[in-house]
Each structure stands twice: as structure tokens, then as C-alpha cells.
Amino acid sequence: MCTVTFIPNGNGFHFTSSRDEQAGRPIALFPAFDLINGFRMLYPKDPLGGGSWIVVNEYGHLGVLLNGAIKAHHSEPPYIKSRGLVLLDLISNISPADAFEEMNFNGIEPFTFILFENKNLYSCRWDGTMKWLESLSSQKPHIWSSVTLYNPTAVRKRENWFNEWLSEHPYPGTLDIIHFHQKGGDGDPFNDILMNRDHQVFTNSISSVRLSCDKASFRYLDLRSGETVETLLSIPETAAIKV
């Protein structure tokens, strides 16, 4: 939920998310299929809140969640619903972008929702008071870091690492991107892409989804167990997004 990269490559798009969580957080369930609001969806599940941080549906719409919006905030629970459940609510719509603009998020902790819908890329933010929907270029790479864990200096450093890595890997595949999420940085475990803050908060999984015109290939690496699983979600021709 805390570091996300987006890379267009050939006839597909790569979304990869490193999930940074507290040591006491239960281990997430591997990606599995679910039916929500009539939509077939694929996502890993947080057993604590029942939601997720990265999900793709049968229309090829994909959403990734980061904690926080514009700047770091003070958490003030209780909240009426977890952000992970909000993510599922948004993606279980014909147009998640429209759903974001229409939904009332009062009582929800601030978040950033990166959305890919019909070949369009959006950054959707809720700061606890206001929301913003920003259209981004889907023809160039992007990296996002959670503002709740990384200050502006660290965010810029991470952007530089990403750009330097891209200059050396102009056409990366899924394994190349996962390797960056495992090795990117300068050796400072506090802010490296694979982060570890005194074993109290650390990266515990990496999720990478490659979207093409007829399928979503979801590769999930659980860093606690070392187990990797890969799952395919077929996108029917009637729903397929031509890329």
C-alpha cells in the first residue's frame, strides 16, 4: 500500500505495489477471485479488514491504494469503513472514476487511489475533507510513495532511483520490475523501496499485475514466506480494453 509503480511496455501496462505494514499485521491471503456487485475481481485480501490494496476486475479496470493523500495526517479512529473495502467498492463499478466522484467519503481515513480505466490513468485523492481526481499520462512511467511513511525528501529520492533504473531498463518485464521493488535504493532500509524500519514496519509483499488486451497476469510475492503465486484473470472480448 505504500510504493506503487506504473510502466507502459509494448502492448501492456505494468502495475506493481509494495505493501509496507506493521509487524503485527496478519499475513494477507493470496490473490483469489471474488464476485462483488456482479463484477468478477481478483485481489489479495487483508484478513484484518477484509479489503485489499490492489484489485483488477474483469473489465481490465485496476485500482491500487496508498495510505494518505497530499501530506501526512494524524489517524483519528474509529473510521466507518476501511480504505481497503472502499477500494473494492470503487472497482466494483462500470466506471470507478465516476464512482469516486459520486461517493461520499466522510468518515473514511485519507487515501490515494491510483486507477487505470479504459486506458486512462488517474490519481484520486481524499484528504479527509476534499477529494481530487487528476488525469495522468498512461504513456509514461510513474512512481508513487505513501505520504504517511515517506517525507518529501524521501519521495524525491525514490523518484530519482526509479528514473535511473528506467534509463538502464527501458523495456522491463515483470521480473525486472519486481527486482527493482526488491533492490531499489541506496542501502538505507528506512527509505529503500524494500523498506524495513527496525522490524516494526517493513515491506511484506510485492504485487505485480500486467494488463493486456485479453488478460491480467497477477504475480504475488509474499516476502514473509518467500512463496510466489501467479494467477490469470481473463478479460472477455466484449469487455476487453484495446491497448
Side-chain angles (χ1 to χ4, degrees):
M1 296 170 70
C2 297
T3 305
V4 176
T5 59
F6 168 81
I7 302 175
N9 190 357
N11 65 344
F13 302 88
H14 294 268
F15 278 90
T16 305
S17 171
S18 293
R19 187 183 190 220
D20 305 335
E21 276 293 354
Q22 296 179 359
R25 193 87 175 190
I27 295 176
L29 305 179
F30 287 136
F33 296 105
D34 198 0
L35 192 67
I36 301 177
N37 195 29
F39 288 82
R40 191 165 186 251
M41 303 165 74
L42 174 63
Y43 60 92
K45 180 179 285 189
D46 174 20
L48 188 63
S52 188
W53 60 98
I54 180 168
V55 55
V56 58
N57 73 19
E58 62 185 316
Y59 284 83
H61 299 158
L62 185 145
V64 193
L65 185 70
L66 295 102
N67 291 338
I70 308 300
K71 60 183 180 180
H73 65 276
H74 296 289
S75 185
E76 298 179 352
Y79 293 101
I80 62 173
K81 181 180 286 190
S82 76
R83 292 166 291 191
L85 288 174
V86 171
L87 175 65
L88 299 183
D89 289 342
L90 288 166
I91 293 296
S92 59
N93 281 275
I94 287 291
S95 172
D98 288 347
F100 174 79
E101 293 197 299
E102 293 168 3
M103 281 187 185
N104 183 344
F105 297 117
N106 290 330
I108 303 296
E109 191 166 6
F111 64 84
T112 297
F113 168 48
I114 305 302
L115 169 65
F116 185 81
E117 176 185 331
N118 295 335
K119 207 177 177 181
N120 296 309
L121 183 66
Y122 303 97
S123 170
C124 311
R125 299 177 189 268
W126 163 251
D127 73 352
T129 302
M130 297 179 61
K131 56 185 175 182
W132 295 266
L133 187 149
E134 179 185 4
S135 181
L136 305 173
S137 172
S138 62
Q139 300 306 308
K140 67 177 186 179
H142 300 270
I143 183 171
W144 300 269
S145 300
S146 172
V147 296
T148 60
L149 283 177
Y150 304 101
N151 64 33
T153 299
V155 169
R156 287 192 296 271
K157 285 176 65 174
R158 294 165 131 248
E159 291 170 350
N160 290 336
W161 297 335
F162 184 55
N163 291 330
E164 290 169 2
W165 175 79
L166 282 171
S167 69
E168 299 173 359
H169 302 81
Y171 304 104
T174 299
L175 294 181
D176 298 316
I177 300 167
I178 290 176
H179 187 263
F180 169 74
H181 277 251
Q182 291 180 289
K183 302 297 183 181
D186 60 6
D188 171 17
F190 201 81
N191 289 311
D192 281 349
I193 305 300
L194 185 73
M195 64 90 89
N196 189 327
R197 298 183 179 177
D198 300 322
H199 303 287
Q200 298 303 305
V201 179
F202 53 85
T203 307
N204 56 43
S205 68
I206 299 172
S207 304
S208 191
V209 179
R210 184 182 185 277
L211 283 171
S212 60
C213 63
D214 61 349
K215 63 180 178 293
S217 302
F218 198 130
R219 190 176 183 89
Y220 181 84
L221 171 59
D222 186 318
L223 294 169
R224 294 183 181 183
S225 68
E227 187 174 355
T228 299
V229 297
E230 187 160 2
T231 310
L232 295 179
L233 171 65
S234 295
I235 300 173
E237 185 176 353
T238 54
I241 308 304
K242 302 304 181 183
V243 297

